[in-house]
Amino acid sequence: QVQLVESGGGLVQPGGSLTLSCAASGFSFKFTTMNWYRQAPGKQRELVASITSAFTTNYADSVKGRFAISRDNAKNTGYLHMHSLKLENTAVYYCNVQLRVDYWGQGTQVTVSL
């Protein structure tokens, strides 16, 4: 079955960096677009970044120039490299793939705080 397992979240100060990982299994990862979403308290889940099987990337305007999405098809793993983090980046971050249905990981908490 399809599984997505995120890791790498934590507590970081403003201006700091974190890298999130998403380990995928149960489907052909290298042929699948992978997305990162986030959901902040009291807000709707929003798309942060995506990377296609051809390694084409797309970013929300709010993270352009600070976040980078990547993938390692040999490891069936996707990454979200986050730099210059801001207080408003605090959220639960989820990886997602859209096959016949949407699949989500369990999420990883990122807290940006002084």
Side-chain angles (χ1 to χ4, degrees):
Q1 69 276 24
V2 174
Q3 281 195 314
L4 300 169
V5 181
E6 300 99 335
S7 61
L11 175 64
V12 64
Q13 292 185 338
S17 299
L18 279 176
T19 293
L20 308 182
S21 301
C22 175
S25 60
F27 64 100
S28 297
F29 178 77
K30 66 180 180 180
F31 297 123
T32 304
T33 294
M34 192 196 72
N35 308 300
W36 283 97
Y37 282 77
R38 67 186 176 192
Q39 188 165 19
K43 294 189 176 181
Q44 289 191 332
R45 195 170 294 189
E46 62 174 350
L47 179 63
V48 176
S50 62
I51 184 167
T52 71
S53 57
F55 293 83
T56 300
T57 58
N58 192 39
Y59 298 93
D61 286 344
S62 61
V63 306
K64 283 180 181 176
R66 298 188 299 118
F67 289 14
I69 190 171
S70 65
R71 64 192 298 158
D72 184 338
N73 288 339
K75 295 181 179 180
N76 281 359
T77 300
Y79 303 94
L80 185 66
H81 310 275
M82 305 185 294
H83 304 286
S84 302
L85 282 160
K86 302 178 180 181
L87 295 174
E88 57 263 37
N89 297 142
T90 293
V92 179
Y93 285 71
Y94 300 90
C95 61
N96 160 269
V97 293
Q98 297 167 356
L99 305 174
R100 291 185 180 180
V101 298
D102 272 334
Y103 290 92
W104 300 90
Q106 82 286 357
T108 186
Q109 175 71 47
V110 172
T111 301
V112 185
S113 180
L114 294 168

